[in-house]
């Protein structure tokens, strides 16, 4: 583990430090998020052949037509999930590589993450275990339905885009809880934050983004 983290060249601590500096200049301010990204070995979440590109500001393929989001997006979503607080229970829809789950696991008490593609979930589980992150629970299912048995959540983060926000997710938010999700299709997609208040859901439309689509069913 140690030798992998402190490996040579493009996967070294120096490379991660440079990434943190870039994120800071790009406007990420939450010190906890920057610290965690600076110490999470992102190269372990992509195929070995892509490891040398793991710290570039780009999304990378993770197989099955899916991608690991670019570092800025992971940082930004993590910052929005926290919203200056420390949420206890967070649900992630779209485990993918497991990188966003790993980052969240070090920022909140308990992470629940669901993925519809079984093969990706198995790989993510191995990576999280290798890093000793025991506060992540994973499930193989269609995350549009959330994880009702574990609700309510202080925050929900959806890492795949859709024209509409799944109703089930909104109902699984705790009072004061926030949902962070790419909403809209293709060129018109934005990160949206929805906060559950006593009588209403407050919605804020933020940065333009481009995510892989949220799909139905599990495979
Ligand atoms: N958070 C991931 C990003 C992966 S891309 C990471 O850090 O790597 C989005 C993921 O959402 C893909 O793995 C895709 O299979 C998954 N996904 C899409 N629709 C889904 C759904 N309805 N339920 C669960 N996962 C879904």
């Amino acid at each position: 583990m140690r030798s992998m983290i402190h490996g040579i060249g493009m996967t070294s601590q120096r490379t991660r430090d440079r990434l943190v500096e870039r994120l800071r200049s790009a406007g990420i301010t939450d010190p906890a998020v920057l610290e965690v990204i600076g110490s999470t070995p992102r190269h372990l979440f992509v195929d070995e052949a892509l490891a040398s590109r793991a710290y570039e500001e780009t999304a990378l393929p993770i197989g099955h037509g899916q991608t690991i989001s670019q570092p800025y997006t992971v940082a930004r979503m993590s910052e929005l999930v926290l919203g200056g607080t420390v949420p206890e229970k967070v649900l992630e829809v779209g485990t993918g590589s497991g990188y966003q789950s790993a980052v969240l696991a070090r920022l909140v008490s308990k992470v629940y993450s669901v993925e519809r593609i079984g093969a990706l979930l198995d790989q993510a589980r191995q990576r999280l275990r290798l890093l000793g992150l025991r506060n992540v629970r994973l499930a193989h299912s269609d995350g549009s339905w959330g994880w009702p048995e574990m609700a309510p959540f202080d925050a929900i983060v959806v890492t795949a885009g859709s024209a509409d926000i799944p109703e089930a997710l909104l109902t699984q938010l705790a009072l004061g809880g926030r949902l962070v999700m790419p909403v809209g299709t293709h060129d018109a997609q934005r990160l949206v934050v929805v906060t559950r208040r006593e009588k209403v859901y407050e919605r804020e439309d933020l940065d333009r983004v481009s995510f892989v689509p949220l799909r139905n069913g599990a495979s």
Side-chain angles (χ1 to χ4, degrees):
M1 201 39 229
R2 210 149 232 290
S3 61
M4 285 170 93
I5 291 179
H6 299 283
I8 41 163
M10 297 308 287
T11 56
S12 67
Q13 185 58 51
R14 208 147 43 89
T15 312
R16 271 194 298 282
D17 292 344
R18 277 199 296 267
L19 168 60
V20 167
E21 276 324 303
R22 284 205 313 274
L23 293 175
R24 220 192 289 275
S25 343
I28 302 297
T29 54
D30 191 306
V33 170
L34 291 167
E35 202 281 319
V36 166
I37 289 186
S39 56
T40 302
R42 184 171 154 97
H43 60 280
L44 300 185
F45 291 84
V46 296
D47 199 81
E48 247 177 282
L50 290 173
S52 66
R53 303 191 54 201
Y55 299 94
E56 292 175 14
E57 202 48 59
T58 176
L60 293 169
I62 55 173
H64 307 269
Q66 306 304 319
T67 54
I68 177 174
S69 306
Q70 64 191 80
Y72 174 81
T73 304
V74 174
R76 180 76 173 128
M77 287 181 107
S78 304
E79 204 170 63
L80 292 171
V81 161
L82 297 184
T85 67
V86 184
E88 203 169 313
K89 282 168 68 182
V90 175
L91 172 70
E92 177 189 30
V93 175
T95 316
S97 68
Y99 177 68
Q100 172 83 74
S101 327
V103 168
L104 289 174
R106 299 180 55 205
L107 293 167
V108 308
S109 311
K110 188 89 195 172
V111 178
Y112 298 86
S113 185
V114 292
E115 169 59 53
R116 62 180 288 275
I117 300 176
L120 288 178
L121 193 71
D122 293 342
Q123 270 185 313
R125 182 174 274 120
Q126 282 175 27
R127 290 168 178 148
L128 294 167
R129 191 174 298 153
L130 179 74
L131 293 176
L133 297 169
R134 290 174 215 285
N135 58 337
V136 185
R137 259 189 84 177
L138 301 173
H140 181 207
S141 72
D142 180 346
S144 312
W145 302 102
W147 195 334
E149 297 82 359
M150 303 300 167
F153 300 100
D154 303 307
I156 298 177
V157 57
V158 184
T159 67
S162 166
D164 308 294
I165 302 173
E167 186 70 30
L169 298 182
L170 292 174
T171 64
Q172 289 171 34
L173 276 179
L175 204 58
R178 32 211 288 125
L179 174 131
V180 180
M181 175 176 175
V183 180
T185 44
H186 307 302
D187 353 337
Q189 204 170 62
R190 282 186 185 275
L191 268 188
V192 166
V193 177
V194 177
T195 308
R196 182 173 195 171
R197 302 289 180 207
E198 211 147 332
K199 295 213 169 84
V200 291
Y201 291 96
E202 271 170 24
R203 173 173 166 157
E204 260 180 298
D205 288 41
L206 305 169
D207 328 16
R208 284 196 89 120
V209 284
S210 173
F211 275 77
V212 294
L214 190 70
R215 293 192 190 286
N216 292 329
S219 64

